[in-house]
Amino acid sequence: MLVYEDKISGDELCSDSYPSEVTTDGCFLEVQGSWIAKGEVEIDTGANPSAEGGDDGGVDDSIEKVVDIIDAFELVEQGEYGKKDLMSYFKGWIQTIMAKIDEGEQADFKKRVQTGVKKLVGMCKELQVFTGPSMDPDATMVFAYYKDGAAAPTFVYFKDALNEIKC
């Protein structure tokens, strides 16, 4: 299994155990999230709860629905970002991440990242923005959006900003 780690913060942001595809001319790794139930697990023993004085139905408040990727990697939502906010973030982030990209790959990265930034800024109203668990504001952010008709979000990672760690 591969775990994807942010080159800047070292936060683990995702793994290859989720359905994914490389998009936008190699700029993004898009990963499909899904909703999962988290909380107490009810085990059916076959007994009749109403006959034994127990609860015979109703809503179970101990179960919470969460998005698997957010939960597993402890991503922290950062609130809304407007176009200016995103552009300001990307300006500083690109300078920081360039130091982590091999010199021979920097020219190709600059081309790819411009396309990716343009796409994300154009989608800013529909994006959710996350940081890793360290909440480092200068680290690589993770973006999520809902594809047409999707029940769960798709997460967008800058592929060049991730280290692949074999587990």
Side-chain angles (χ1 to χ4, degrees):
M1 178 171 95
L2 293 176
V3 172
Y4 298 106
E5 176 184 271
D6 178 26
K7 288 182 178 180
I8 297 171
S9 68
D11 287 341
E12 292 180 355
L13 300 176
C14 194
S15 78
D16 68 348
S17 63
Y18 301 93
S20 65
E21 65 179 320
V22 176
T23 64
T24 317
D25 298 326
C27 183
F28 295 142
L29 176 67
E30 291 196 22
V31 182
Q32 185 58 54
S34 60
W35 289 95
I36 59 171
K38 182 180 173 182
E40 291 184 27
V41 177
E42 185 175 317
I43 299 173
D44 185 1
T45 60
N48 182 351
S50 61
E52 297 177 17
D55 184 18
D56 61 345
V59 177
D60 186 357
D61 292 336
S62 63
I63 295 181
E64 175 185 15
K65 288 195 92 174
V66 296
V67 176
D68 54 0
I69 295 171
I70 295 171
D71 185 58
F73 294 94
E74 300 175 6
L75 300 181
V76 181
E77 189 164 5
Q78 297 301 302
E80 287 186 33
Y81 273 64
K83 286 183 180 185
K84 287 182 182 178
D85 300 322
L86 278 178
M87 289 305 293
S88 175
Y89 163 73
F90 285 132
K91 185 177 180 183
W93 175 78
I94 289 171
Q95 290 177 344
T96 304
I97 198 65
M98 284 298 283
K100 308 282 184 180
I101 305 288
D102 293 333
E103 277 189 42
E105 298 174 22
Q106 288 183 359
D108 289 340
F109 170 71
K110 283 182 185 178
K111 286 181 198 171
R112 282 193 300 271
V113 80
Q114 285 178 354
T115 305
V117 165
K118 214 180 267 188
K119 180 176 179 176
L120 289 174
V121 169
M123 299 171 61
C124 75
K125 289 186 192 253
E126 53 188 295
L127 290 177
Q128 288 177 279
V129 181
F130 298 90
T131 60
S134 70
M135 295 177 50
D136 182 347
D138 299 322
T140 304
M141 291 196 185
V142 178
F143 304 90
Y145 71 99
Y146 285 81
K147 290 183 177 179
D148 290 337
T154 298
F155 291 82
V156 180
Y157 300 85
F158 281 95
K159 190 172 181 303
D160 293 295
L162 301 173
N163 284 323
E164 293 181 354
I165 309 297
K166 201 168 202 162
C167 295

